[in-house]
Amino acid sequence: MASRVGRICGAGLLKSNTTNCLRQGNAYSTTRDFSKGKKALLGGLGVAAGGAGVLIYTLDKAVRASDLDLHPPKNPWSHNGFFNSLDHASIRRGYEVYKQVCAACHSLRFIAYRNLVGVSHTEDEAKAEAAEQLYTDGPDEAGNMFQRPGKLSDYMPNPYPNEEAARAANNGAFPPDLSYIVLGRHGGEDYIFSLLTGYYDAPAGVIIREGQYYNPYFPGGAISMAQALYNEVIEYADGTPATASQLAKDVGTFLKWTSEPEYDDRKRMLIKAIAIFSTLAFVSYYAKRFKWSSLKSRKIVFKPKE
């Protein structure tokens, strides 16, 4: 027994082998053949990636509403959910709200009249909407610019010729373009609805300058846009009661569509993908069972030689 213990101790089996483990780990390392310059480059890229992540997180926190602003509540929009599409009747009504109320100050410069076809209007209706606007075109044969009625390929007109004119008409405030406003604001359509219906008298201690209005959902609480939606401020063509909340809901749905025109297409692709991959998964499972059934059910018998 003593001799066996001596042989074990002599072989070093009872000694610490941390150094050997480290050497073995280095032997399998994929960076052991890298030069010092390459290792420094990879280290610098890692630090830069980490710094970029921290910067993105900091900027995201900076653009979010502060704790002093009221966050919009979640509303039960009909298009929420994996398989729910946008309400196209609401999109059409929302276009009416934009045309009669919002278009006086806000632009939709990334939306053309052809985008309305098949979504909220027929082709003839979209052509009629475009023809109501006059666009500068040319030059003609004499080299002069001329005015012509709009067509489907034209984008919705800007109410102001430039940013300076827009600021001059709105006490220095620049009305933002609404094409992607839902994606550009935290809360999306909930923010739009709450902002349009959230005008109140300023509470005690809050000073609102002349030409501004109190809205707790707007960052800072002071907004230069006056309340635009009131009960019966417009009349819907389909006879829907035009309450302030209905107007805000419809224009919120319309701006959701302008921000994501592919919204319904994406939902249809999801349904198709689920159907196709479910079928492929079933076929794959059946093929696997069919191929492996003979191997799993076979019996191996050992027959020794006599």
Side-chain angles (χ1 to χ4, degrees):
M1 182 67 183
S3 61
R4 292 182 180 178
V5 172
R7 285 196 301 269
I8 293 174
C9 293
L13 298 178
L14 298 180
K15 296 179 181 179
S16 175
N17 59 351
T18 305
T19 304
N20 293 332
C21 293
L22 292 176
R23 289 175 180 174
Q24 293 177 359
N26 291 332
Y28 290 103
S29 175
T30 58
T31 61
R32 67 182 185 276
D33 297 330
F34 287 178
S35 63
K36 292 183 179 180
K38 193 170 185 178
K39 291 181 179 179
L41 177 61
L42 292 176
L45 291 176
V47 173
V54 173
L55 177 62
I56 292 173
Y57 176 78
T58 304
L59 293 176
D60 181 71
K61 296 291 289 184
V63 301
R64 290 180 182 271
S66 66
D67 293 336
L68 298 178
D69 301 321
L70 192 60
H71 294 270
K74 295 292 185 181
N75 295 311
W77 298 89
S78 60
H79 54 263
N80 287 342
F82 289 106
F83 305 108
N84 296 335
S85 64
L86 291 169
D87 184 354
H88 287 243
S90 183
I91 294 175
R92 184 184 178 97
R93 292 194 299 268
Y95 171 75
E96 294 183 41
V97 178
Y98 168 77
K99 176 183 176 181
Q100 300 185 43
V101 180
C102 308
C105 298
H106 296 276
S107 61
L108 275 179
R109 61 191 182 97
F110 295 108
I111 302 298
Y113 286 100
R114 64 171 178 266
N115 299 130
L116 299 175
V117 178
V119 177
S120 58
H121 295 71
T122 64
E123 182 175 349
D124 292 336
E125 290 174 336
K127 288 181 178 179
E129 291 291 329
E132 294 179 3
Q133 306 294 333
L134 293 178
Y135 290 83
T136 301
D137 204 345
D140 57 14
E141 296 178 353
N144 299 320
M145 305 300 289
F146 60 91
Q147 296 287 317
R148 62 162 177 82
K151 50 188 178 182
L152 288 178
S153 59
D154 290 321
Y155 287 82
M156 295 190 180
N158 195 322
Y160 303 103
N162 49 59
E163 180 177 344
E164 288 71 18
R167 291 186 181 278
N170 293 276
N171 297 323
F174 179 62
D177 182 82
L178 300 182
S179 300
Y180 300 108
I181 194 69
V182 169
L183 296 181
R185 297 293 185 271
H186 288 284
E189 57 268 43
D190 291 322
Y191 170 79
I192 301 298
F193 180 87
S194 299
L195 181 74
L196 293 175
T197 59
Y199 285 85
Y200 304 98
D201 294 333
V206 176
I207 300 176
I208 302 297
R209 295 182 298 177
E210 184 179 358
Q212 292 186 326
Y213 308 88
Y214 179 71
N215 193 315
Y217 297 101
F218 188 78
I223 184 173
S224 298
M225 182 180 73
Q227 184 174 358
L229 301 184
Y230 298 92
N231 293 335
E232 307 299 334
V233 68
I234 69 170
E235 184 177 350
Y236 281 130
D238 62 359
T240 301
T243 61
S245 58
Q246 182 68 47
L247 297 169
K249 177 259 183 185
D250 290 334
V251 76
T253 304
F254 173 70
L255 295 178
K256 175 68 174 179
W257 170 75
T258 62
S259 298
E260 298 181 80
E262 77 289 349
Y263 187 86
D264 288 347
D265 294 333
R266 191 168 65 245
K267 295 295 184 71
R268 282 193 290 266
M269 289 299 296
L270 174 63
I271 296 174
K272 293 178 181 179
I274 290 176
I276 292 173
F277 284 109
S278 298
T279 303
L280 292 178
F282 175 77
V283 172
S284 300
Y285 177 75
Y286 178 80
K288 177 258 183 186
R289 290 293 300 270
F290 178 78
K291 292 292 185 181
W292 286 84
S293 59
S294 60
L295 297 176
K296 288 189 174 183
S297 61
R298 69 180 179 175
K299 295 181 179 179
I300 301 177
V301 179
F302 174 70
K303 293 182 178 182
K305 293 183 179 180
E306 295 182 356

